[in-house]
Amino acid sequence: AALLAGEQLFSADYADGTLSQDRIHLPDLWLLLPAKLTAAWLRFTLPLLFILPLLTLMLHIPAAHIPATAALLALGSLPLLLIGALGAVLTLAQTHGTFLRFLIVVPLYIPILIIGVAAGHDNLLGLAISGHYALLGAFSLFALITIIPFATLALKTQHLP
């Protein structure tokens, strides 16, 4: 879902010229990215959090593990969305940028996905997952600090119509 969210973040605005107008008229272009990411998180991750109890019931996961799984999902989805947004911004003006976006995004997704899967497994086994929370939080913080300025710079330097 995060790969699709990253792909859809700027495509409609680029196609109708809104992104070009935002780049010209917004003095603080960097505020556009957090607003779009917040909307994407609410659109993709929040519904997953709402249906998480149903999914855990379907997968026969005990109800005691739902809060930890929800926290892992919320923590892991932020860096995935940020990385997807970076891939979307870098391949914005490309006509066939899907494969290039895939090459940029997937290697950065893999560590987050590995940590998330290991945390979910350790959670089900009853092991401590505070280290996994710390790693996902560090990935989230690092992604927030680095990707928003770089994506804003990429938006400013893109050749937009």
Side-chain angles (χ1 to χ4, degrees), residues 31-149:
L31 291 174
L32 179 70
L33 210 63
K36 285 194 169 288
L37 287 168
T38 302
W41 190 87
L42 290 173
R43 195 171 88 192
F44 289 102
T45 306
L46 202 59
L48 283 175
L49 288 173
F50 282 139
I51 65 167
L52 187 64
L54 180 65
L55 293 175
T56 56
L57 181 67
M58 287 173 34
L59 295 172
H60 301 289
I61 297 173
H65 297 289
I66 292 175
T69 307
L72 288 171
L73 178 65
L75 260 178
S77 64
L78 180 63
L80 293 177
L81 275 173
L82 284 163
I83 292 168
L86 180 66
V89 166
L90 289 175
T91 60
L92 191 61
Q94 304 293 323
T95 55
H96 300 289
T98 306
F99 185 68
L100 181 60
R101 187 178 312 115
F102 180 77
L103 286 176
I104 292 169
V105 166
V106 168
L108 298 173
Y109 274 0
I110 290 174
I112 298 165
L113 294 175
I114 289 173
I115 291 169
V117 168
H121 183 259
D122 290 350
N123 182 27
L124 289 177
L125 292 178
L127 301 174
I129 57 170
S130 58
H132 300 292
Y133 283 135
L135 283 173
L136 286 175
F139 272 120
S140 297
L141 184 63
F142 181 74
L144 276 172
I145 291 172
T146 57
I147 289 178
I148 289 179

